[in-house]
Amino acid sequence: MKFGQRKGISRKMKSRLTKWSFGIVIALCIIYAVLLIPDSSRPVSVAGEKEPFAWNRDEYWSHLESAFKQARQTDCRDLAPLISDRFAAIDSLLLPLRADTLEPDAPLFAALENAFFEQGVLLAACPENLNEYMRRFSQLRGLLKDQSIRWDMNSPAARNCLYRLLYGGRTAVEEVMMQAPKELIHQTVSGVDESSATPMAEILGVKIHSGDILISRGGAPTSALIARGNNYPGNFSHAALVYVDENTGGVSIIESHIEKGVAVATIDDYLRDTKLRVMVLRLRADLPSMIADPMLPHEAAEYALQRAVSEHISYDFAMDTKEPSRLFCSEVVSDDYRHVGINLWAALSHISSPGAISWLSAFGVRNFTTEEPSDLEYDPQLRVVAEWRDYETLYKDRLDNAVVDIMLESADNGEQLDYDWYVLPPGRVLKLYSMILNQFNAVGPVPEGMNASAALRNKWFSNKHLAAKERLMVLADKFKQEYGYLPPYWELIKLAREAYK
């Protein structure tokens, strides 16, 4: 009898366990189904009628490549007189910039553009005078920024002139660097040693001052997207502010990261993160506000440091420059300088390409008239003090750019950022886990401020970029084996288009 009772109880328990198990499975299925519901879309602020910049010089690029091939077949000793004459021509074109005030559409600027490109063709074949070429580009950049302080930076003529000569001139210099022996490439390139009264330290052979601005290019595919995905595709994806302690000389870097918001790093930590290039910018000493108070940059950096250590400031994925409670990297610079009365970004950046808008909005961006790190280089209130880059990172930069340019081309043709639908629920669980870690100032697998869908799209984008980049590297190596030189950027674009297919 007791045995039978136990057997009955056992059956009842099994029945209950079965019901409980079934209930748990149903509940998990319901939770999984709920977690599969896509995020609702939110409105975005589009840049209006601004048009992306276009070179529209395909025939000219073909002409330059033909001239480069011809120069490679010519003895450098025979080209030496022509190289010397072209340097003299560039010097004569620079002279009026020292004495006259020109409008941004002056014919002289178009002549300088062609002169730099055509000299670059010869030096790519015979790079012994690379440093002379770089020195003249630094002169051009300083003189052009002096001219631009009188221009309306919101006019297309001013923006186009600065972009064509500063971005285009750097591109020409780097085309020569890519063809030159590595021993000719200097990692540090000096610009203008603008005087400053703020505390100073020396980093990698360059004197930097408190309040200096560092713009850089990270190694992640999304860094290339930030640098390239605007109306004036550039070379930089990140901005940070330097603070130098007046008592100890210690250097702190204040910056905003997508993973943890605004944070303070040592210079070693800053440089330890992948940097494909870094540029140092400094406020001009002859600005009226600087003449009145030369310590303004230090005051801005000190204010930024105090905010960073006293409060948690989340990363601003929306890129909303009107909302100071969250800051993306450029806002760390602009907001803290605005605190001392300096308005940087003389002209805001615009993102008008439908593909770039579609993809960036999928990552959480909501404002497409904003502050891009690359455009800070063109602000006439700032001097370029120095730039760091080397051969290996420069080559990676070019590969990343070429792939992203083609991916954005594909986005303009309707391709959407994607992810596997069934990974959204575990992605949301990881987001919850990350939020818990964030409460303890720790970094989780999903960046603070980014939802699970955006994180999965980011992963999809990175995987697609990596696959195309690996194929591009193979194609670029084949090009070099066949022709004896690395593909120039316009050829790299063609190869990237083939790799992305």
Side-chain angles (χ1 to χ4, degrees):
M1 187 68 183
K2 290 181 180 179
F3 177 78
Q5 288 176 341
R6 287 175 184 172
K7 190 173 182 181
I9 292 170
S10 177
R11 287 174 180 171
K12 287 180 181 179
M13 288 180 65
K14 284 183 179 180
S15 176
R16 288 177 181 175
L17 286 173
T18 300
K19 290 179 180 178
W20 272 102
S21 299
F22 183 72
I24 291 172
V25 170
I26 292 297
L28 289 174
C29 288
I30 292 172
I31 293 171
Y32 187 84
V34 170
L35 292 176
L36 279 173
I37 298 173
D39 294 304
S40 58
S41 60
R42 291 178 291 168
V44 299
S45 173
V46 183
E49 298 179 356
K50 300 285 184 179
E51 289 294 327
F53 174 85
W55 286 95
N56 294 325
R57 303 199 73 181
D58 289 349
E59 290 185 10
Y60 186 65
W61 308 143
S62 297
H63 158 72
L64 291 180
E65 187 167 18
S66 297
F68 170 61
K69 290 176 180 177
Q70 183 176 350
R72 280 180 50 82
Q73 297 172 357
T74 307
D75 193 299
C76 287
R77 289 171 295 184
D78 296 331
L79 287 176
L82 180 57
I83 290 173
S84 180
D85 288 346
R86 288 189 175 174
F87 272 134
I90 290 173
D91 290 340
S92 67
L93 289 170
L94 291 175
L95 280 175
L97 298 183
R98 304 179 191 276
D100 300 333
T101 301
L102 304 177
E103 293 301 316
D105 54 359
L108 175 68
F109 294 122
L112 270 168
E113 180 184 319
N114 289 342
F116 263 89
F117 284 157
E118 287 163 16
Q119 179 72 311
V121 164
L122 299 182
L123 295 179
C126 303
E128 288 78 11
N129 296 108
L130 169 61
N131 290 329
E132 284 297 303
Y133 190 53
M134 296 174 75
R135 182 174 65 83
R136 282 170 173 82
F137 174 65
S138 292
Q139 291 175 358
L140 168 64
R141 180 166 56 193
L143 291 168
L144 186 60
K145 287 178 75 69
D146 283 343
Q147 291 281 330
S148 68
I149 201 165
R150 307 174 187 89
W151 296 348
D152 174 9
M153 288 304 297
N154 286 294
S155 71
R159 295 296 300 274
N160 289 347
C161 180
L162 283 166
Y163 183 74
R164 295 180 79 99
L165 284 169
L166 297 189
Y167 173 80
R170 182 194 291 106
T171 300
V173 166
E174 292 177 355
E175 289 290 352
V176 177
M177 292 173 71
M178 285 291 91
Q179 308 302 333
K182 293 182 183 180
E183 58 269 18
L184 290 181
I185 299 175
H186 290 248
Q187 185 179 28
T188 304
V189 180
S190 298
V192 178
D193 187 16
E194 186 74 2
S195 63
S196 175
T198 68
M200 180 270 294
E202 187 168 307
I203 299 173
L204 299 179
V206 175
K207 294 178 180 178
I208 65 168
H209 285 260
S210 193
D212 282 359
I213 301 162
L214 304 179
I215 55 174
S216 60
R217 168 65 186 280
T222 46
S223 296
L225 179 62
I226 292 168
R228 308 300 294 174
N230 62 83
N231 286 8
Y232 290 89
N235 294 119
F236 301 96
S237 60
H238 187 63
L241 197 55
V242 176
Y243 172 80
V244 181
D245 190 287
E246 62 266 38
N247 297 316
T248 67
V251 178
S252 300
I253 309 297
I254 304 98
E255 54 188 337
S256 186
H257 297 279
I258 64 171
E259 298 87 357
K260 55 186 176 182
V262 177
V264 180
T266 65
I267 189 62
D268 290 336
D269 288 338
Y270 175 82
L271 295 174
R272 194 175 295 117
D273 285 343
T274 301
K275 298 285 189 300
L276 304 187
R277 60 171 81 233
V278 181
M279 177 180 282
V280 185
L281 298 169
R282 184 174 301 153
L283 209 62
R284 297 172 64 114
D286 59 359
L287 296 175
S289 54
M290 285 289 288
I291 294 172
D293 183 1
M295 294 297 287
L296 279 180
H298 180 62
E299 293 166 16
E302 189 171 39
Y303 175 71
L305 180 67
Q306 290 173 352
R307 287 187 68 192
V309 299
S310 64
E311 59 181 299
H312 176 68
I313 306 173
S314 300
Y315 189 86
D316 180 12
F317 275 96
M319 294 175 66
D320 184 358
T321 57
K322 297 181 178 66
E323 173 50 68
S325 64
R326 297 172 180 264
L327 300 176
F328 64 98
C329 65
S330 297
E331 287 181 295
V332 170
V333 175
S334 65
D335 199 63
D336 293 309
Y337 259 105
R338 192 178 298 114
H339 177 74
V340 297
I342 302 292
N343 292 315
L344 296 177
W345 274 269
L348 288 175
S349 310
H350 296 273
I351 303 171
S352 302
S353 160
I357 290 173
S358 171
W359 283 18
L360 289 170
S361 64
F363 289 139
V365 176
R366 292 292 173 267
N367 296 272
F368 296 90
T369 298
T370 187
E371 298 168 347
E372 290 276 2
S374 285
D375 281 347
L376 194 60
E377 177 189 2
Y378 310 122
D379 192 319
Q381 302 170 95
L382 299 168
R383 296 278 198 188
V384 176
V385 176
E387 187 169 1
W388 293 299
R389 58 195 167 190
D390 62 29
Y391 182 90
E392 283 75 17
T393 57
L394 187 57
Y395 185 54
K396 183 179 186 301
D397 175 277
R398 288 159 56 86
L399 293 170
D400 286 349
N401 287 353
V403 172
V404 164
D405 284 352
I406 294 307
M407 293 181 78
L408 286 171
E409 185 180 278
S410 179
D412 282 339
N413 291 327
E415 184 177 15
Q416 299 292 316
L417 289 178
D418 201 1
Y419 60 87
D420 294 323
W421 62 269
Y422 52 84
V423 299
L424 181 57
R428 283 175 164 159
V429 172
L430 288 175
K431 175 59 183 176
L432 177 61
Y433 171 66
S434 300
M435 291 171 66
I436 295 171
L437 291 179
N438 295 157
Q439 298 302 310
F440 298 95
N441 295 320
V443 176
V446 179
E448 181 186 25
M450 180 181 279
N451 62 32
S453 299
L456 292 171
R457 292 187 184 102
N458 182 27
K459 184 68 174 177
W460 179 91
F461 171 81
S462 298
N463 289 340
K464 291 271 284 188
H465 182 278
L466 177 61
K469 180 181 172 182
E470 289 176 346
R471 290 192 289 269
L472 175 59
M473 292 173 67
V474 173
L475 294 174
D477 286 343
K478 288 182 179 178
F479 184 100
K480 185 177 181 180
Q481 291 171 9
E482 182 176 354
Y483 297 103
Y485 60 92
L486 283 173
Y489 195 71
W490 54 85
E491 288 293 340
L492 209 57
I493 283 290
K494 296 176 185 176
L495 297 176
R497 190 173 288 115
E498 180 181 345
Y500 193 63
K501 289 180 181 178

